[in-house]
Amino acid sequence: MALLTRAITVEARTCAVVYRHGVRTGVLAAGRHRRPAGSTVVPVDLRERLLAVAPQDVPTADGASVRVTAAVRWSVTDPVAFVEVADDPEAVVYLATQVALREALAAVETDRLARRGSLPLDEVVAAVRTAAVAVGVSVQDVVLKDVLLPPEIRGAATALIVARQRGAALLEEARAETAALRSLANGARLLDAHPALAQLRLVQAVPPGTRLVLAVGTEAARLVEPGTASDDD
């Protein structure tokens, strides 16, 4: 007598592991299938997922303790292992990420942690992938979201940044002042070499209506304000 069957639909980007009497009978891809009566179907989502790792305090190589948070991009590539190997495969990936972060960052000094581009994340990704593949999971990436330094170190880093900016501002001010003094010195040498330029500058600087009186036989000059009499009047 043939076993009764009924239809089952496996959604897109998922698959289904089928068991009958406790024995795995196959893995169904997306689509519509016939399922024998008495069988059990375990759906598995194959889409990429994000696993957020809670903040954890990690000791550094120089004895400080920093708080880091991370996120893992992962997806299921072996649905059978994902269903059968571990009761909670996601917890396996989570723990592997925590341990890998602690081992990798424990060899890094605190000041290097402030420069995320120099963090040994390749080692973290490799370690997490090794643990994840056993439970049917492929890890695409491990992203370090936040690195929270101790308050004392954050204060020192802020003071260092302020000192650098203040020094840069003072240096720029000194450069501007030096350039101005150099320009004045060049102007003074030019006036000493050409006295006529000094008189020209004096003429240009007098207010409108002021008469300029030159002393006879000399290059001296004096100003006569409007409305006043000169010695020659």
Side-chain angles (χ1 to χ4, degrees):
M1 181 177 178
L3 293 175
L4 297 177
T5 61
R6 62 178 180 173
I8 178 175
T9 300
V10 180
E11 301 295 335
R13 293 294 297 157
T14 64
C15 67
V17 183
V18 182
Y19 295 88
R20 186 169 184 272
H21 302 310
V23 179
R24 185 178 71 253
T25 59
V27 178
L28 302 179
R32 192 168 180 82
H33 306 270
R34 292 184 177 274
R35 185 182 71 177
S39 62
T40 302
V41 176
V42 181
V44 179
D45 192 337
L46 301 178
R47 293 174 296 180
E48 186 177 287
R49 314 183 206 182
L50 285 177
L51 174 62
V53 180
Q56 61 173 332
D57 293 328
V58 178
T60 60
D62 49 5
S65 180
V66 298
R67 175 162 292 190
V68 296
T69 58
V72 183
R73 291 195 303 113
W74 63 280
S75 60
V76 177
T77 53
D78 186 349
V80 173
F82 187 77
V83 172
E84 296 182 357
V85 172
D87 176 65
D88 189 351
E90 189 171 332
V92 174
V93 178
Y94 187 98
L95 179 61
T97 305
Q98 283 189 316
V99 174
L101 281 173
R102 295 184 69 86
E103 291 180 352
L105 300 184
V108 180
E109 295 184 352
T110 307
D111 58 348
R112 186 182 170 191
L113 286 176
R115 305 187 301 273
R116 299 190 182 189
S118 61
L119 296 179
L121 288 182
D122 291 341
E123 302 175 9
V124 176
V125 174
V128 176
R129 282 176 177 169
T130 302
V133 70
V135 294
V137 171
S138 173
V139 173
Q140 283 77 42
D141 196 10
V142 177
V143 179
L144 199 61
K145 295 169 57 179
D146 298 301
V147 178
L148 186 61
L149 302 176
E152 299 81 5
I153 297 179
R154 292 202 306 270
T158 302
L160 178 59
I161 294 174
V162 172
R164 287 176 177 172
Q165 294 298 325
R166 183 180 293 113
L170 292 176
L171 179 60
E172 188 63 28
E173 182 180 352
R175 288 174 177 171
E177 184 176 353
T178 301
L181 291 175
R182 186 180 297 111
S183 178
L184 290 175
N186 291 336
R189 285 195 295 269
L190 186 60
L191 292 177
D192 288 341
H194 304 279
L197 289 178
Q199 295 184 7
L200 178 61
R201 291 290 296 166
L202 180 61
V203 171
Q204 292 176 342
V206 297
T210 303
R211 291 184 296 128
L212 185 65
V213 179
L214 297 176
V216 178
T218 68
E219 296 179 349
R222 64 185 181 88
L223 299 179
V224 178
E225 296 295 336
T228 61
S230 64
D231 294 339
D232 300 333
D233 293 341

